[in-house]
Amino acid sequence: MKPITLRCSMLPKWQRHLRAAICESRSQKAGLRSGQVSGSYSQRRRFATPVDIKVADIDSNDPREKVVILGSGWAGYVLGRQLDKRKYRVVIVSPRSYFVFTPLLNDTTVGTLEFRNVLESVRKKKSSLEYIQGWADDVNFADRTVTIEPSVLDPDVGHALTGPRKPNEQQTARGYAKKGVFPHGPWEKQVQMGGTGSDQVPTFPIHYDKLIIAVGTYSQTFGTKGVRENAWFLKDVRDAVAIRRRILELFELARLPIIPEDTKKHLLHFAVVGGGPTGMEFAACLSDLLRDDLSKIHPELMKFVRISLYDVAPKVLPMFDASLADYAVKQYRRQNIEIKTSHNVEELRKGFPNDEQARQDQDSQVKGRVYTIRTKEEGDVGIGMCVWSTGNMNNPFVMKALDHVRRFPTESAQITQGKVTDPMQRQWIIQRDAKTGVILVDDHFRVHLTTECAEGMKEDEKPKAYMQDVFALGDTSKLMSGALPATAQVANQQALWLGKTLNKYPSPEEFRKQQGFTFRNMGVLTYLGGAKAILQGGNGNGDGKGGGAAKGIKGLAAYLIWRGAYLTMTLSWRNKFLVVVQWVAVKVFGRDVSRF
């Protein structure tokens, strides 16, 4: 009897896959024995082989334009997602490897949401975005390169920054050498030295075809004594972690039998500085936590609890209509939140109030116990913590690294005003807003250059130019036509407009012919606690005037709109699902008050 021969098509599917795998394995082994490597094996092996960083960065085989985005906030991350990856190779450079959904960050400080519910990772399994974890240190517009300082070992990442960063042991060349990262490696020859002093920081350059500056801003302290060292800020996820831990820590301290009642009054006094939406929403979220959860866990401590909100302005929420702002103040007073307007904070220090010795010797005071906030109107007041939310300051990278232009970028810059015989003979600078120092951009978000007037030259004859390949978005920039609110809504719209326009018109000639950006004011929302909020809508023209929702909605209806709007704005379907699940879980089971 002849043996029956089965064709592959007659075999079950799992047997066909198994046979293919066995054949591939045999061919690879045969290739290795004969000194030849199969294509699939070579592809896997390539990632384990050291690659020269200069070749890897330029990647001459990639026909796409390389777009380098500085920052992973609203403007940078949304633009990176929006750009067409078939046309652009997108590289995000940021000290943090994630995007924070800031409108819901307050909820994470009290356990209404978990921290990962408001994070979107830049690195994703199916994402085409490339990512380098580092700080932008310098830009050479003529050579189209950005100098990057690694931030992988930087402890400042994830915290709100309030001023220029100082080199730390882990970030310096010496620190990298101790960790076994620097200077050993295939990229050793490409590393340069930045920073100052003996502990210089290793840096390296990357090339770009288009550069997007979206580095965001720092937290503003106005130079108030002790704020930078002793306040809690709320700008990033690690700030939220620290605030949540401190709130629960204060209740555990006050619960100890060795703590006197006078000290408990100080420990459980929560101060919030800043009468804008962020400060007001944090106070509301804290009030919810106290009323719904901690009052049931620590009922005997509730008589010591106080929440005070300080603001230097005569009224809070100045961006809202007066009737809505008054409604908000009434709601806060019902929740026993003290609104202290026209108060000037002079100092924030460690130690008890009216303790002159502690004031003079701050180094001897233990951090984490009682603090003192000093105002011009009230003097010393004992508190357990101070959350500082008084606005933004310009990023030092924008102020210093972009303070001058080394060489005029002749290949990308277009002179728009003035007679310039040889632009290389002039010292060019980036146009900035005289008051804030942020970058001035046109309605296409292109960065503009200017130079000093020659003797006898009028201001309207002053040479000016713009760079076709450099853009600035978000809080880093200001439109020449007028300032827009420093909100997530503005940055999101700017990023979407620029991404769509660059996708459709990639060449500079076509791009500049398109109609410029117009902001559509969709309104502003603020949560007031107790399932109440206020909403002041816009008419879509950017001025906030008009009928309908512009007159304002308040109470439960505004709260439902607030939740629905932010749930819709959440970028990933994963987080949309997790946010809803967490809201339901908190409603049914309460907030998690474990301290970790």
Side-chain angles (χ1 to χ4, degrees):
M1 181 181 293
K2 293 183 179 180
I4 299 175
T5 304
L6 295 176
R7 295 192 300 271
C8 286
S9 59
M10 299 173 61
L11 294 173
K13 188 175 181 180
W14 68 270
Q15 289 187 7
R16 295 201 301 270
H17 286 310
L18 179 61
R19 174 178 287 189
I22 293 172
C23 292
E24 182 181 358
S25 176
R26 288 175 178 173
S27 64
Q28 286 180 1
K29 291 179 181 179
L32 287 172
R33 285 194 295 268
S34 62
Q36 298 176 350
V37 182
S38 65
S40 60
Y41 183 84
S42 175
Q43 189 175 10
R44 291 197 302 273
R45 177 63 180 162
R46 179 169 60 87
F47 293 99
T49 304
V51 181
D52 185 87
I53 190 170
K54 192 171 184 180
V55 176
D57 179 58
I58 296 177
D59 198 0
S60 57
N61 295 325
D62 196 334
R64 300 173 298 171
E65 278 193 285
K66 183 176 180 181
V67 179
V68 174
I69 301 175
L70 305 181
S72 59
W74 273 98
Y77 183 69
V78 172
L79 177 61
R81 285 165 50 102
Q82 184 70 24
L83 288 172
D84 188 348
K85 309 307 182 296
R86 295 169 297 180
K87 297 180 180 179
Y88 300 105
R89 176 189 171 196
V90 182
V91 180
I92 292 181
V93 177
S94 176
R96 63 186 192 187
S97 60
Y98 53 85
F99 159 80
V100 181
F101 189 80
T102 49
L104 293 178
L105 188 60
N106 273 309
D107 281 11
T108 66
T109 63
V110 297
T112 305
L113 291 177
E114 288 304 319
F115 305 111
R116 289 200 175 274
N117 297 156
V118 299
L119 298 183
E120 303 279 355
S121 177
V122 176
R123 294 190 186 276
K124 291 186 178 180
K125 184 169 61 175
K126 297 182 180 180
S127 175
S128 300
L129 294 174
E130 299 179 42
Y131 172 68
I132 297 175
Q133 187 166 2
W135 307 89
D137 190 65
D138 193 16
V139 180
N140 189 324
F141 297 110
D143 294 340
R144 292 181 175 175
T145 59
V146 181
T147 302
I148 306 300
E149 173 192 330
S151 68
V152 180
L153 304 179
D154 196 333
D156 289 335
V157 173
H159 290 292
L161 296 175
T162 57
R165 297 177 300 107
K166 297 179 180 179
N168 59 77
E169 177 64 22
Q170 290 182 320
Q171 278 292 103
T172 60
R174 184 171 58 191
Y176 271 76
K178 285 183 178 180
K179 293 287 183 179
V181 177
F182 176 80
H184 309 293
W187 41 273
E188 177 181 355
K189 296 179 181 179
Q190 304 299 328
V191 172
Q192 303 172 0
M193 285 303 186
T196 57
S198 59
D199 292 334
Q200 291 184 323
V201 180
T203 63
F204 58 91
I206 62 171
H207 169 78
Y208 69 83
D209 295 309
K210 284 183 170 63
L211 177 66
I212 314 296
I213 302 171
V215 293
T217 54
Y218 283 17
S219 295
Q220 179 66 273
T221 65
F222 301 101
T224 307
K225 186 178 180 181
V227 169
R228 188 175 181 182
E229 298 81 10
N230 300 317
W232 277 259
F233 298 91
L234 187 52
K235 205 171 180 67
D236 210 330
V237 67
R238 287 178 69 179
D239 299 325
V241 172
I243 290 173
R244 183 165 163 183
R245 180 181 176 85
R246 178 60 177 172
I247 293 170
L248 301 175
E249 181 179 78
L250 289 171
F251 275 87
E252 296 299 337
L253 279 173
R255 192 71 181 261
L256 297 176
I258 59 174
I259 303 297
E261 288 196 357
D262 288 343
T263 303
K264 291 180 181 181
K265 292 179 181 179
H266 298 322
L267 289 173
L268 297 180
H269 184 190
F270 300 90
V272 182
V273 180
T278 302
M280 297 288 282
E281 285 194 356
F282 171 74
C285 291
L286 177 59
S287 177
D288 285 350
L289 173 66
L290 297 174
R291 181 186 63 253
D292 298 339
D293 299 275
L294 295 182
S295 63
K296 298 175 176 62
I297 299 172
H298 306 287
E300 70 281 4
L301 296 179
M302 299 313 294
K303 61 183 178 181
F304 303 113
V305 174
R306 290 174 59 196
I307 303 176
S308 298
L309 192 144
Y310 297 87
D311 196 83
V312 69
K315 60 176 291 187
V316 295
L317 299 175
M319 69 289 299
F320 283 89
D321 182 76
S323 62
L324 293 175
D326 291 341
Y327 173 81
V329 171
K330 291 178 182 178
Q331 292 299 318
Y332 277 72
R333 286 174 179 166
R334 289 177 183 175
Q335 300 173 61
N336 296 320
I337 299 175
E338 302 175 54
I339 306 292
K340 300 184 178 184
T341 55
S342 301
H343 275 60
N344 296 270
V345 178
E346 296 180 334
E347 184 184 15
L348 179 64
R349 68 175 188 271
K350 295 175 286 187
F352 285 85
N354 303 312
D355 187 343
E356 192 61 30
Q357 183 178 356
R359 184 180 182 183
Q360 298 297 330
D361 188 11
Q362 281 289 284
D363 293 337
S364 65
Q365 300 301 306
V366 179
K367 189 172 184 178
R369 295 184 181 175
V370 173
Y371 291 84
T372 294
I373 185 170
R374 182 181 182 85
T375 63
K376 184 178 180 181
E377 292 72 21
E378 293 183 329
D380 286 2
V381 178
I383 59 173
M385 69 181 300
C386 174
V387 175
W388 191 274
S389 179
T390 58
N392 302 321
M393 64 175 287
N394 200 7
N395 195 306
F397 167 74
V398 176
M399 295 295 293
K400 295 183 178 181
L402 301 182
D403 186 48
H404 64 282
V405 178
R406 292 173 182 164
R407 288 184 291 129
F408 185 78
T410 53
E411 294 184 6
S412 63
Q414 295 287 323
I415 296 177
T416 58
Q417 179 178 297
K419 296 180 180 179
V420 181
T421 306
D422 185 1
M424 300 297 290
Q425 298 299 319
R426 292 178 175 270
Q427 177 61 58
W428 295 84
I429 58 174
I430 291 177
Q431 278 191 264
R432 303 174 181 275
D433 179 64
K435 184 178 180 180
T436 62
V438 297
I439 300 171
L440 287 177
V441 295
D442 56 27
D443 57 3
H444 286 60
F445 303 110
R446 295 171 297 198
V447 175
H448 284 239
L449 304 176
T450 186
T451 186
E452 296 297 329
C453 291
E455 187 175 350
M457 183 181 294
K458 298 179 181 179
E459 182 65 26
D460 57 357
E461 298 175 348
K462 187 176 182 179
K464 294 182 180 180
Y466 70 85
M467 291 182 283
Q468 301 179 100
D469 56 357
V470 181
F471 307 85
L473 297 175
D475 301 342
T476 307
S477 65
K478 175 184 175 182
L479 288 172
M480 294 178 177
S481 57
L484 294 174
T487 62
Q489 179 186 168
V490 172
N492 184 57
Q493 289 189 29
Q494 290 178 346
L496 291 175
W497 180 91
L498 184 59
K500 291 177 181 178
T501 309
L502 286 176
N503 288 341
K504 196 171 183 180
Y505 307 102
S507 71
E509 293 75 17
E510 294 178 333
F511 179 81
R512 68 166 174 252
K513 296 177 183 178
Q514 306 311 309
Q515 184 177 356
F517 169 78
T518 302
F519 172 57
R520 297 183 60 202
N521 184 4
M522 307 307 293
V524 58
L525 290 155
T526 295
Y527 178 58
L528 305 179
K532 291 182 175 62
I534 53 176
L535 161 65
Q536 181 167 295
N539 60 2
N541 295 326
D543 55 11
K545 300 177 182 179
K551 296 180 180 179
I553 301 175
K554 55 190 176 183
L556 179 61
Y559 168 72
L560 295 175
I561 295 173
W562 175 83
R563 281 211 161 179
Y566 287 152
L567 182 62
T568 303
M569 289 176 64
T570 304
L571 299 184
S572 69
W573 284 104
R574 174 183 179 275
N575 275 354
K576 290 180 194 294
F577 172 75
L578 292 177
V579 165
V580 173
V581 169
Q582 183 65 19
W583 279 342
V584 173
V586 167
K587 191 69 176 176
V588 176
F589 304 107
R591 296 172 178 84
D592 180 10
V593 293
S594 57
R595 187 166 63 93
F596 52 87

